[in-house]
Amino acid sequence: GVNNAVARLAGLVATAALPLAAGLGGVQRLDGAEFAAGYARAMWISAGVCAAGAVVALLTVRDGRATASVTHPSLTHGCTARPSGVAAGGSTLASGA
């Protein structure tokens, strides 16, 4: 559904954006001290994003207590079953009509 699509899109964006945020976007060769420094920055950025996600989850996820249930009428409630002698608008039909 939509949640799956949003999660996949977020993964793609994060995969593309993380190297840029870590300063690895313009690196021609991925070796040496420049790559090691960029990798370390990428890991710190990832840790920060995970910590922010943990805070959001802590503030928004319910505590698991039961909530009051709501009883809904059936889908056909009031649509098909009318007592005999009652018109569509709710008025009573005169007998013999």
Side-chain angles (χ1 to χ4, degrees):
V2 173
N3 192 25
N4 189 23
V6 170
R8 287 179 183 265
L9 180 63
L12 289 171
V13 169
T15 302
L18 187 59
L20 294 174
L24 294 173
V27 175
Q28 297 297 322
R29 292 180 38 176
L30 292 177
D31 60 355
E34 187 178 6
F35 175 71
Y39 185 80
R41 276 192 306 272
M43 293 300 105
W44 281 109
I45 292 169
S46 296
V49 170
C50 287
V55 170
V56 169
L58 180 69
L59 296 175
T60 59
V61 175
R62 294 183 177 198
D63 60 4
R65 285 184 287 178
T67 58
S69 63
V70 177
T71 304
H72 297 284
S74 70
L75 294 175
T76 59
H77 177 76
C79 296
T80 58
R82 266 189 232 113
S84 62
V86 177
S91 60
T92 305
L93 297 174
S95 44

